[in-house]
Structure formats: structure tokens, C-alpha cells
């Protein structure tokens, strides 16, 4: 494959990720509203640990896992920040 083709593939994946990111942020917004209405804390460490463990099992790739774990943690941090607003 040529570099231009690979970059095009990245651009297409980025479009898909944007769509999924927007879906996730809307779900996060609604969760934030629910938590505020029910006086629940934004951070649920148990839930985040469960999510990370479940994703590790789904990925089943030790080489790429540390990178994906960091990605998940960053997305969860962004979601928490959004829920606070």
C-alpha cells in the first residue's frame, strides 16, 4: 500500500471515531444529568475498572493493550469532565 492510501484509511477511521465519540458524549451528558438529579458522584471507580477489564478481555491482544487502556482512560476522563458541566 502507498502512504496516501494508508492516510486515507486513517481519515476514514477518524470519521467513524468522531461519530462514536459524539454518541458516547451524549450518553455521558445524560448520565451526568441522572447523577446530578440523584446526587450521585461523577466518578465511579468500580464501574471504570469493570469497563477496563471487560475491554481487555474483548481485545485479547497484550501487545496493543497498554495503548488501548490509555485510550480508554483518557476517554473516561473526558467523559467525567463533560458530565461535570
Amino acid at each position: 500500500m502507498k502512504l496516501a492510501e494508508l492516510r486515507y484509511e486513517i481519515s476514514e477511521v477518524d470519521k467513524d471515531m468522531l461519530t462514536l465519540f459524539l454518541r458516547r458524549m451524549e450518553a455521558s451528558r445524560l448520565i451526568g444529568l441522572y447523577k446530578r438529579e440523584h446526587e450521585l458522584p461523577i466518578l465511579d471507580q468500580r464501574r471504570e475498572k469493570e469497563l477496563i477489564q471487560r475491554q481487555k478481555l474483548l481485545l485479547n491482544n497484550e501487545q496493543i493493550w497498554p495503548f488501548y487502556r490509555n485510550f480508554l482512560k483518557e476517554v473516561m476522563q473526558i467523559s467525567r469532565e463533560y458530565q461535570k458541566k
Side-chain angles (χ1 to χ4, degrees), residues 23-73:
R23 278 181 57 196
R24 190 181 208 290
M25 294 308 285
E26 176 60 12
S28 292
R29 184 184 73 80
L30 296 172
I31 289 169
L33 290 173
Y34 180 92
K35 287 178 176 179
R36 204 170 296 121
E37 289 172 8
H38 294 86
E39 299 180 2
L40 298 169
I42 296 297
L43 176 60
D44 183 344
Q45 288 181 331
R46 191 185 95 248
R47 163 81 176 138
E48 290 191 7
K49 286 179 184 178
E50 288 172 358
L51 185 144
I52 288 171
Q53 286 303 311
R54 187 170 48 249
Q55 292 298 305
K56 184 176 185 179
L57 293 173
L58 288 172
L59 178 62
N60 194 26
N61 182 324
E62 290 299 320
Q63 183 179 8
I64 207 163
W65 170 246
F67 303 102
Y68 187 55
R69 181 186 61 229
N70 290 342
F71 173 77
L72 288 173
K73 287 182 176 184

Side-chain angles (χ1 to χ4, degrees), residues 68-79 81:
Y68 187 55
R69 181 186 61 229
N70 290 342
F71 173 77
L72 288 173
K73 287 182 176 184
E74 186 66 25
V75 169
M76 288 186 287
Q77 175 63 36
I78 292 166
S79 295
E81 289 174 18

